[in-house]
Amino acid sequence: GQRPEPPLAEQVVKARHNKRLMLDEADRSRGPGPAIAPLVGPEVVGPSCSSTEVLPFVYGVLNERLELLAQANHVVVGGALGRLTGGTASEWRCGNCGHEWRGGLFTGGDGRSLDEAVVINVHDGAVGIRAERQWLAERLGADFEQLGQMLISGQGGRRFDKLIVRSPNGGTRDVYFDVSAFFGGSASGSGSGSGTSGARA
């Protein structure tokens, strides 16, 4: 007789296993060398042990790129965006001693103009774009809505992301991020392209 279909959960596990095998095979076909470039510059160090093995936290639902980074232990999964409300959630974890802390993921200004753009200090496009959402969720609430986006070229080769957002109370504002650290880096999720609009993952 015909074999019954396995339970859905078993099918999902099998599909994930097969996907992992395909990714491993793709890594082997590329030959030796690191598959993932460093996500954080050497200026970010662990405050407890001075290690440069620093992992950024990512919050919210993971896209495919972030899932791969999490599986490779290059980022720390922090949970829902709602955990950012209040501004106390960790931004970094030391890969050497496990210490978690805040500070340094965002520098610059308050995002109200190009001159006061929020600087995002990571080198991966997917992590950088998620950091934009994390900054907004901390200040506007996790239920903010992104209405539009535009990439802007600045002086000295700087790149800026202008986001038009609406807060849960209905107010709208423009927020400027300096994305020079990761723009044009990882192809997955860099969000490059001038004048694009709409929300991104």
Side-chain angles (χ1 to χ4, degrees):
Q2 188 176 6
R3 295 179 60 185
E5 286 286 329
L8 179 59
E10 183 178 334
Q11 295 181 47
V12 171
V13 170
K14 184 176 181 181
R16 288 178 175 171
H17 175 69
N18 291 339
K19 181 178 180 181
R20 183 71 260 172
L21 291 178
M22 291 172 63
L23 292 170
D24 289 344
E25 181 63 30
D27 286 340
R28 285 193 294 270
S29 68
R30 283 195 292 266
I36 300 174
L39 305 187
V40 181
E43 67 277 3
V44 182
V45 298
S48 293
C49 66
S50 299
S51 172
T52 57
E53 187 182 346
V54 175
L55 312 177
F57 272 79
V58 292
Y59 294 85
V61 178
L62 302 186
N63 58 29
E64 185 174 3
R65 169 68 176 175
L66 294 177
E67 283 186 357
L68 291 177
L69 292 174
Q71 290 168 8
N73 294 320
H74 285 268
V75 299
V76 182
V77 179
L81 280 176
R83 297 188 62 185
L84 295 167
T85 304
T88 60
S90 296
E91 294 176 347
W92 311 102
R93 175 183 292 170
C94 178
N96 181 52
C97 69
H99 179 71
E100 298 179 3
W101 74 98
R102 289 177 57 85
L105 177 58
F106 307 107
T107 54
D110 61 7
R112 295 186 179 275
S113 67
L114 283 179
D115 291 338
E116 295 296 325
V118 180
V119 180
I120 299 178
N121 296 305
V122 294
H123 296 169
D124 180 86
V127 179
I129 289 172
R130 181 54 56 89
E132 291 180 342
R133 298 188 64 80
Q134 293 174 192
W135 189 93
L136 292 167
E138 280 197 351
R139 290 152 182 82
L140 303 181
D143 294 329
F144 75 90
E145 181 182 1
Q146 182 176 318
L147 304 177
Q149 177 262 345
M150 178 177 292
L151 186 71
I152 301 173
S153 297
Q155 294 182 345
R158 307 298 293 179
R159 296 291 184 269
F160 300 90
D161 220 3
K162 173 186 175 182
L163 302 187
I164 305 168
V165 296
R166 179 160 54 207
S167 63
N169 65 13
T172 61
R173 60 173 288 195
D174 298 341
V175 183
Y176 294 85
F177 293 94
D178 186 330
V179 298
S180 304
F182 63 82
F183 174 78
S186 137
S188 60
S190 63
S192 60
S194 178
T196 57
S197 62
R200 295 168 299 162

